[in-house]
Structures are given as structure tokens and as C-alpha cells.
Amino acid sequence: MSVPSTSAVRVPVPVPAAPPTPTPPGPPAVSKEEGSAPLRYGLAVVSVALAFVAQELLSSFTVGMPFLAFFAAVMFSGWRGGWGPGLLATGISLVAVDYFFLTPIHTWKVRTGSLITLGLFLALSLFVTLLNARLRRANMERASLLESERAARAAAEYERARLRELFMQAPAHLVIFRGPDHLFELSNPLNSAMLGNPDLLGKPARDVGPKEEAARISRLLDRIYTTGEPFHGKEMPLQLKQPDGSVREYFFDITYTPTHDAEGKVDGIAGFGFDVTGHVRARARAEQLARELSHNEEHLRMLAGASSFLATSLDYEATLHNVVRLAVPTLADWCIVDMAMEDGTYKRMEVAHARTEPEALAEQLRTPPSETCCYPAKGAGALLLKGQAFFVEEATDASLQQLTESPEWLELLRSLRLRSFAVVPLVARERTLGVISFATSRASGRSYTAADLPFLQELANRAALSMENARLYREAREAVRLRDEFLSIASHELKTPLTPLNLKLQSLRREMDRTPGPVSRAMVENYLEVGSRQLKKLAELVNDLLDVSRIASGRMSLDPASVDLAELVRDVVAAYEGPAARSGSELRVEGVDTTTTGWWDRPRLEQVVVNLVDNAIKYGQGRPIDIRVEATDGHATLTVRDQGIGISAESLPRLFGRFERAVSERHYGGLGLGLYITRTLVEAMGGTVRVESQLGQGSVFTMALPLRANPPALIPPPP
């Protein structure tokens, strides 16, 4: 074969033997100042000292040239140390020349002529120092560039050697052609051995290998060289000559890529190839076995696809959508998913069908009548409740009747002409989340056997697990959202009482600073009243947080005692008349003379009443608040009615939840815990609490507690 390019494809570098692994070059040296700063500045001082000695020794010969030796010191300092040492040498030289060599000697008096001389020396010294500093910097940069160039050359050489080694040791056939005649420029040992010719370099592709194969490969290379477009071939057959002279067919995955010169013109072709002959022949040998096992393969692919969908999505609706479309038509002609609802009914989520099945029937399946939302208790429903599948290998009218008790729905199932079906529960954590139904029709001719049921159950289990994970994920996200929202509100609420308290303390401090004598008692009492009120509010917030913690951990206990609810309400109203008056509301009480004695935890019951009254004052918009206590049907009832902002209908179901708020925290304070604690405590004492409200028309909170003449045997802690 003239062109082993078939087996030689992709990257190449001709080398008979792999070179030793090169050592990667180290990073280029970084230019540094020659010597430390103390050394450079020290040399500057020493050079000036030597210049002074030389000038003294040569003073008789250098009359009129007192700067000669010092100028040399400045030049040396600037050249050796740079700008700083040069300036230091210049400064010391000016002082030494002025004092020791310019008349009048040994005095700091400077004549006009000497001043000009010193100025010229200074200017010349600065100029020379500047030149030396720039020369020094240029030399350092040049040295750095030379070092970088050396390192770059070493790195390039290292990479070239490493690439060459990789090419020669690569477990693939690598080849490079050059020029329009496709001369071998490189062929790695694996490729050369396959072609049976170790001396390929310089030969044209058309002269290597069997004549017909070489001509075919040459035409392919000509097209790539002319068009500049790469070629990718999968399992290309190639006829190669064997050492015994016979020709054997091989299969290669081949890629030919054109290479370009500096001007962007194609100047060669690089080839890279994998011998996949063994894979192709093994596949051929396995085809018969694969056909026999195709049924199981479909199941495995189905599970693999379902696992992929289930693993990549935390949206159970999207997951179910993908699963049913994966099941149809590979596994089933019909696939239906129903979600279990809290009331025991099912909600239709997905309906998918094969193209051979009528869409009109699918539309009817998507909107089933309400009476079909439950499975018969004596049919499929009995098995589904136990978490077991309802499987029918050969559908009959009797088996269809076990799916529904609705004549209309039964007629629709008959029109589907089902042959086999399986109704499998979606169970996760011992909880039924829904039902997934698989069915085949008589039109397709397919049917299920008992061996298919475990696979269908496994698919349903994976879908159920994904749905449960999606639910947990949503709950976790909601919990994180509530936590973040609560922390934001709590931090704000905890700061709210501290701010006026701090301001009052600061005002008191300023008043004490301004008044030399004792501060008036009235002012101090005013400040103390504000501080006490804010501290009480802060304590209430902290107590709410502690109560939630106790409730969550199950550590809140109740101490029942004989309590008169009417008396307790009178005490709370008396304590809250002041706050109500400040907000403009009037507390109107009825029935406080009624005897409503029962066995309850007094501090906790007082906390409940305080929460209800405080809520009414906060949201009552300064309007009258009616509080009524009465005893009816063995229960003590407390009703708190306000005429304030009211609560929207969508907020009512979640009003007694933890951290729930029916209003914006920007306009109303609070942690959203009061009503949650209220509900928990009331239920723990055997009572109930409810709310009736309309937005803008106020709210009515009603608490009912059982009246007991004797203490209960046991009051359990709040859940």
C-alpha cells in the first residue's frame, strides 16, 4: 500500500528511538540590583573618602581643579550603585570640596565664583549620574532579556523534544506528509512497522503499500491538500501487505489535517490513526449475540437514559416529562404518570404515546373525569396501597375493570386496545408519591412478560427517588430562604429596641455633663421608663426565639394549675391599656366577670393572651379592639377582634406557621413567631385557635380551651 497514511494519521515526528526524557528548563533568572542597598551606599561613601584622600595628595598638582577626584567618585558611585548612591556621592563631594578645597578653606562661607563652580559640579554630577543610572538600567534590562531569551529557547527545545518523544511513543499511527507529492516527513515506529518499511522518510505516499490502496489514499490526500479541508474517517478499510506477501484488510479511525506555512498556504498534511480492526471484528462476532439480547439492551439503555435524566434535574415535573418520553416508544406504546394527592386522589401529570396511537385518545387521557382520580379499592388500588405493582400480561375486559369503576373511563381504556400493561407505584421512603403506568397496544404487536416487571419497577423506583430528591431540594431551598429572611428580620428587630435605649442613655450622659449638680428626678425617670420599655421589648423577642428553640427540640414543658381565664384577661388588658392608648386604640372588654376556670399553664396562657392582644394593637390602626371571654359547651373561649388592616385570603392558611408574616417587615416589626408560638401552646393545652379576616376589614382571633374541674393526667409537651 503506497500510503500508510491510512494507518498513519494525525501527528508525527520521525525518530527511530525515543530520546531520554529532557529536563524541563527552570524559570528565567530575574535581574536584581548588584549588591544590597547598604553595600551600594557604603561603596559610594568609600569612593568619596578615597577621592578626598587622592585630592589631598594631588592638591599641589590639581590647583584650580578641586573636583577632579570627586567627580570620579560620583561617576563610580552612579555606575556601581545607581541613582541613589550617585546622589549621595554628589552631596558628600559638594560638602567636602566647599569646606576643604575652596577658598576660604575650612569655612562654610562661599564666594560667588565658588558658588558657580559648585553649581557646575552639581549639574555635571547629576547629568553623569543620570547617564550612569540609565546605562545601568539598560544593562540590567538587556541581561534580563538575554536570560529570558535563553530560558525561552530552552523551554522551546524542551517542548520540542518532549513532543517528539510523545509522537514516537504514542499508541497510535502518526504521519506527516510534505508538499504536493505527499512525501513522508515523519512516520512513528508503530506506523512504519505496520507498513513493513522502516525507511519511509522522503518517499511519496503513492509508492508505499499495495498499488490500488496507495492510489486511493493519494487521491484523498490530493483533495485535502487542494481544498485545505480536514478529513475524518471512521473504520476506514485498508488493504495492507503482510510479511508473508499476503494482503489483509484492516480498519482505522483516521483524521487528516492540513498544515500551513507562514503565509497560511497548505504545505503538508498531518495524519493520526487508530487501528480499530479488533473492535470491528469483535463487533461483527457479537452482532448475533446482540440481536438475541436486544430486548435486555433496550431495558439497560432505558435505565441508563432514565438515570441520566433523573440525575441532572431537580424538577420532578421535568424529570417525569423526560422519563415518559424515554419510555415511549422504546419500552411502551403508552406511558401515564399520576401524582398522589393528600386526599387520596391522583392528579394526571403526563401522558405519552407512540406515533401509531391516536392523539385524540391521548387528549382524553390527559383530562380524565373526576371520578377516575382514584383506583378501585378492590382492584389495582389494593395493590398500589401496599406499594405493589398491578401487572397484566394479556389484557382482558376483566383486568381493565380493575383499573376503574367509571363506565366512561372503562370505555376509553377499551378503545386503547391494550395488550399488556403494568401499573407501578412510585414509592420513596415508604411513601407512595404517585403511579406510573406502562402499556403496549395490539397495533404494535408488543407485549410484556413477567421478566419485564422487575425492570419496570426499577424504573419507577428511580423516578420516585428523583421526585423525592426534588421535593427535599425544594424544601431545603425554602428552609434556607426562610432562615435568611428570618435572620434579616431578627437582626433588625433586635436592633430596634437597642437604638432608642442607646439614644436615651446618650442623652442622659449629655445632660449629666451639662448639669454640674444632680440631674432632675423627672428626667431620669423618663429615661428609665423608655429604657425599661425597650428592654422589655428586647426580652420578649429573645424569649420568642428561646420558645421556638424549645418547641423544635421538644424541651418545652407545661406546668398545669387552676387558672381563671377571665381574671388573666383582666390583668393583661390592664397592663396593655397604656400601649393601646399610645397607638390610639381602646380596649373594650366583655365577659371578664364570667367564671372560666380550667387547668392550664398560667405563664404560657398569659403569653398566648398577650400575643393576641399585642397583635390586635399593632395592626388595629388605632381603632377600638373588642375582647370577649365566655364559657360555652365545656370550653373557655377568648375572642379578640380588631378593625385594622386585616389579612389577605392567600395569607390565612400559613398565618400560624413558623416565621410566617402576612405583612411586610418594612412597615410592621416582629419575627413572625408570635402566632406560631400561640398555636403551639394552645394545642399543647388541648385547645384550638383560629382566625377570620378580610383584607382591610380587621381580624378576629378565637381561642378555645377545655374547661376541666380536675388537673389532666398528663399534658404532653408541644410538638
Side-chain angles (χ1 to χ4, degrees), residues 413-637:
L413 293 178
R414 288 169 178 166
S415 62
L416 296 177
R417 300 181 65 244
L418 300 180
R419 182 170 183 178
S420 299
F421 61 86
V423 182
V424 185
L426 297 167
V427 180
R429 305 179 189 274
E430 300 181 355
R431 175 168 167 259
T432 300
L433 306 178
V435 173
I436 183 168
S437 302
F438 306 93
T440 62
S441 70
R442 299 189 181 277
S444 67
R446 298 188 299 179
S447 64
Y448 296 134
T449 65
D452 295 314
L453 183 57
F455 165 73
L456 299 178
Q457 291 175 319
E458 177 62 21
L459 181 60
N461 290 338
R462 298 190 185 193
L465 181 61
S466 175
M467 293 164 59
E468 180 68 6
N469 290 339
R471 182 186 67 82
L472 295 175
Y473 175 72
R474 288 197 306 274
E475 291 179 355
R477 290 189 61 181
E478 180 64 15
V480 170
R481 184 192 67 79
L482 288 175
R483 181 204 64 187
D484 294 342
E485 180 180 342
F486 167 71
L487 291 177
S488 174
I489 297 172
S491 62
H492 172 75
E493 289 299 319
L494 292 174
K495 288 179 182 178
T496 299
L498 292 176
T499 301
L501 178 60
N502 186 39
L503 292 175
K504 284 298 181 181
L505 290 176
Q506 291 177 4
S507 299
L508 181 59
R509 169 59 65 185
R510 287 195 297 269
E511 188 64 29
M512 293 176 66
D513 292 340
R514 284 197 304 267
T515 306
V519 181
S520 68
R521 180 181 181 86
M523 180 180 296
V524 174
E525 288 179 347
N526 177 47
Y527 289 155
L528 287 176
E529 180 183 357
V530 173
S532 299
R533 191 163 57 246
Q534 300 304 324
L535 286 176
K536 179 182 178 182
K537 183 176 181 181
L538 183 61
E540 290 174 353
L541 292 173
V542 173
N543 287 334
D544 282 348
L545 293 176
L546 291 175
D547 284 344
V548 171
S549 175
R550 294 189 188 102
I551 292 171
S553 60
R555 292 184 290 105
M556 178 175 284
S557 59
L558 300 178
D559 185 14
S562 180
V563 180
D564 185 351
L565 177 60
E567 178 187 354
L568 189 149
V569 170
R570 285 197 302 270
D571 294 342
V572 172
V573 169
Y576 271 81
E577 283 180 347
R582 283 194 295 271
S583 68
S585 295
E586 176 190 358
L587 298 181
R588 302 188 302 202
V589 185
E590 299 180 25
V592 291
D593 296 330
T594 305
T595 301
T596 51
T597 303
W599 283 85
W600 309 301
D601 187 313
R602 180 182 177 86
R604 293 302 181 184
L605 183 56
E606 181 178 0
Q607 183 178 358
V608 169
V609 176
V610 165
N611 282 342
L612 295 178
V613 174
D614 185 61
N615 256 20
I617 295 173
K618 181 186 297 185
Y619 304 114
Q621 292 189 318
R623 295 168 184 164
I625 298 171
D626 295 313
I627 303 173
R628 181 178 181 82
V629 180
E630 56 185 340
T632 55
D633 299 330
H635 284 78
T637 303

Side-chain angles (χ1 to χ4, degrees), residues 30-269:
V30 179
S31 299
K32 298 180 180 178
E33 292 286 347
E34 298 180 8
S36 62
L39 176 61
R40 292 185 285 111
Y41 283 93
L43 288 176
V45 175
V46 171
S47 66
V48 174
L50 292 176
F52 177 80
V53 173
Q55 192 69 33
E56 282 284 352
L57 295 175
L58 299 175
S59 59
S60 59
F61 301 101
T62 58
V63 177
M65 295 183 293
F67 296 101
L68 185 60
F70 290 101
F71 187 70
V74 171
M75 291 183 62
F76 172 78
S77 299
W79 170 80
R80 183 64 177 80
W83 187 254
L87 292 178
L88 178 63
T90 300
I92 299 175
S93 297
L94 285 172
V95 174
V97 170
D98 177 52
Y99 189 79
F100 292 101
F101 298 101
L102 291 179
T103 58
I105 299 175
H106 299 155
T107 180
W108 296 110
K109 295 181 179 180
V110 181
R111 296 178 177 177
T112 304
S114 298
L115 185 62
I116 295 174
T117 303
L118 289 172
L120 290 174
F121 173 74
L122 176 61
L124 187 58
S125 296
L126 292 176
F127 178 69
V128 170
T129 300
L130 176 62
L131 291 179
N132 281 329
R134 289 186 176 180
L135 177 61
R136 174 183 174 81
R137 187 180 301 109
N139 287 336
M140 293 174 62
E141 291 177 354
R142 178 175 175 274
S144 177
L145 290 175
L146 290 175
E147 181 64 20
S148 298
E149 180 184 3
R150 183 201 65 77
R153 288 179 180 274
E157 194 62 34
Y158 165 73
E159 293 298 335
R160 187 180 299 109
R162 185 171 67 167
L163 184 61
R164 176 175 177 270
E165 180 182 4
L166 289 174
F167 282 173
M168 302 311 292
Q169 299 298 326
H173 299 268
L174 303 174
V175 65
I176 291 181
F177 301 104
R178 279 287 176 260
D181 293 331
H182 316 305
L183 302 179
F184 277 90
E185 183 179 274
L186 179 142
S187 176
N188 71 345
L190 185 64
N191 187 67
S192 299
M194 180 200 66
L195 296 174
N197 188 347
D199 187 20
L200 293 175
L201 302 186
K203 293 183 178 181
R206 61 178 174 272
D207 294 340
V208 178
K211 188 174 181 179
E212 293 182 359
E213 282 293 338
R216 181 168 69 91
I217 296 300
S218 294
R219 289 193 297 271
L220 175 60
L221 296 176
D222 288 339
R223 187 174 76 246
I224 297 171
Y225 192 90
T226 302
T227 62
E229 296 179 356
F231 171 79
H232 303 280
K234 294 286 292 182
E235 299 179 1
M236 286 183 59
L238 295 173
Q239 303 293 327
L240 299 178
K241 186 177 292 186
Q242 302 300 299
D244 59 1
S246 62
V247 176
R248 183 184 178 189
E249 184 179 48
Y250 289 84
F251 294 89
F252 288 89
D253 287 343
I254 295 177
T255 297
Y256 285 123
T257 303
T259 60
H260 301 80
D261 57 19
E263 298 178 355
K265 297 180 180 179
V266 177
D267 64 350
I269 298 174

